[in-house]
Amino acid sequence: RWCFFSIYFPEINDSEGHPSSSHQTLKGTSKWATSLENLLEDPEGVKRFREFLKKEFSEENVLFWLACEEFKKTQGKKQMQEKAKEIYMTFLSSKASSQVNVEGQSRLSETILETPHPLMFQKLQDQIFNLMKYDSYSRFLKSDIFLNHKKCEEQEENPPEAQTAAKRASRIYNT
């Protein structure tokens, strides 16, 4: 099974060329490393990415993206109006506490908040997603936060005792 997978996805191997997980489905850092989408689907990935962005002084990007995702699920006009206003005041207004840097935010006036719809922030959310994908995400994958988490995961999957026992067994049978 892994042969097929490693032929078509050669990048999903550890440093020795072995599949990065003993399971067929990727999880944790291996999954995060395949795409920003996968990273943002995993609560632990979001937590680590936020930690990284905070150090880069750009945590507002992922917070805005998450707020927009949550906004899309909002039911009822009153709740949508409240959430839309909250997103606007937090991320888009010129007085916003966590202002994101997007084109066209000045055209988004407070009057649009009166008639909200689930995709009203989509264009701005896409800009922020692309900013993260082509800028912060690649740096995150090289960061100590990501690499240390990956190392911890690998140690959990392959505890040193198990490796030692396997090496002892291979020495016994290979002599």
Side-chain angles (χ1 to χ4, degrees):
R1 289 182 180 194
W2 269 113
C3 293
F4 163 82
F5 209 75
S6 56
I7 290 169
Y8 290 98
F9 301 98
E11 70 278 6
I12 308 173
N13 292 324
D14 64 20
S15 59
E16 296 170 23
H18 300 106
S20 62
S21 170
S22 57
H23 307 292
Q24 221 176 351
T25 53
L26 294 174
K27 50 186 189 180
T29 54
S30 299
K31 193 169 184 179
W32 304 349
T34 59
S35 72
L36 179 58
E37 291 89 337
N38 285 340
L39 171 71
L40 294 172
E41 286 173 4
D42 183 344
E44 183 66 23
V46 170
K47 180 180 168 185
R48 300 297 174 179
F49 193 47
R50 280 185 62 185
E51 193 181 323
F52 170 75
L53 291 176
K54 198 178 284 188
K55 287 183 173 186
E56 290 212 332
F57 304 100
S58 59
E59 183 187 21
E60 68 278 358
N61 291 335
V62 75
L63 294 176
F64 173 71
W65 189 88
L66 291 166
C68 292
E69 284 298 292
E70 200 56 40
F71 177 75
K72 291 176 193 175
K73 300 173 193 167
T74 305
Q75 301 291 314
K77 187 179 178 187
K78 185 90 176 126
Q79 286 85 354
M80 285 186 88
Q81 284 175 326
E82 288 170 11
K83 278 200 177 190
K85 186 172 182 160
E86 188 181 320
I87 288 172
Y88 180 81
M89 297 310 283
T90 306
F91 301 106
L92 301 170
S93 154
S94 59
K95 301 172 195 133
S97 55
S98 299
Q99 191 177 30
V100 290
N101 186 13
V102 288
E103 293 174 31
Q105 68 194 47
S106 55
R107 291 195 303 272
L108 192 77
S109 68
E110 288 190 51
T111 54
I112 194 173
L113 303 175
E114 297 305 313
T115 55
H117 58 88
L119 301 177
M120 66 188 281
F121 297 116
Q122 189 64 52
K123 205 179 269 187
L124 302 176
Q125 184 186 14
D126 290 346
Q127 283 183 38
I128 290 299
F129 179 84
N130 285 327
L131 178 70
M132 291 189 301
K133 183 175 183 171
Y134 297 109
D135 186 42
S136 318
Y137 175 64
S138 56
R139 284 196 308 280
F140 169 71
L141 295 178
K142 297 172 192 157
S143 73
D144 287 345
I145 292 171
F146 175 80
L147 296 173
N148 289 339
H149 192 74
K150 183 177 180 182
K151 192 175 181 180
C152 289
E153 255 183 15
E154 289 166 356
Q155 287 172 349
E156 284 174 15
E157 281 183 20
N158 304 310
E161 318 82 62
Q163 292 173 347
T164 321
K167 284 180 184 172
R168 278 197 307 269
S170 73
R171 277 198 298 268
I172 293 168
Y173 293 113
N174 289 333
T175 54

